[in-house]
Amino acid sequence: MTFKKCTSCNAPLADEGWTDFVCPECGEMIYRCYRCRQQSLPYVCKKCGFRGP
Ligand SMILES: [Zn+2]
Ligand SMILES: [Zn+2]
C-alpha cells in the first residue's frame, strides 16, 4: 500500500485536506499536503523544475 507524497515536503498524504493539480509547464501531477497549503510553501516540479506557489 502506497501513499502519494507531498511534492513540497515529501510527507505521505494519508490525511485529508491535501490537494493535487497538474504542473502548468509539463502536466506532471503535483501534490501538496494540508500543512504546505496552510503555509503556502512553494513547490518545485520534479519533472521540469517549475517553481510555483
Ligand atoms: Zn507538504
Ligand atoms: Zn513540471
Side-chain angles (χ1 to χ4, degrees), residues 1-2 11-13 16-18 24-25 33 35 42-43 45 47 51:
M1 191 163 158
T2 55
L13 299 174
E16 293 186 11
W18 55 272
E25 282 293 308
C33 69
R35 196 181 59 180
Y43 62 85
C45 176
K47 198 168 172 182
R51 289 168 166 274

Side-chain angles (χ1 to χ4, degrees), residues 6 8-11 32-33 35-36:
C6 174
S8 296
C9 71
N10 220 34
R32 299 186 82 200
C33 69
R35 196 181 59 180
C36 289

Side-chain angles (χ1 to χ4, degrees), residues 29-42:
M29 290 304 296
I30 306 285
Y31 301 100
R32 299 186 82 200
C33 69
Y34 178 76
R35 196 181 59 180
C36 289
R37 284 180 63 200
Q38 287 281 301
Q39 299 179 357
S40 298
L41 295 181

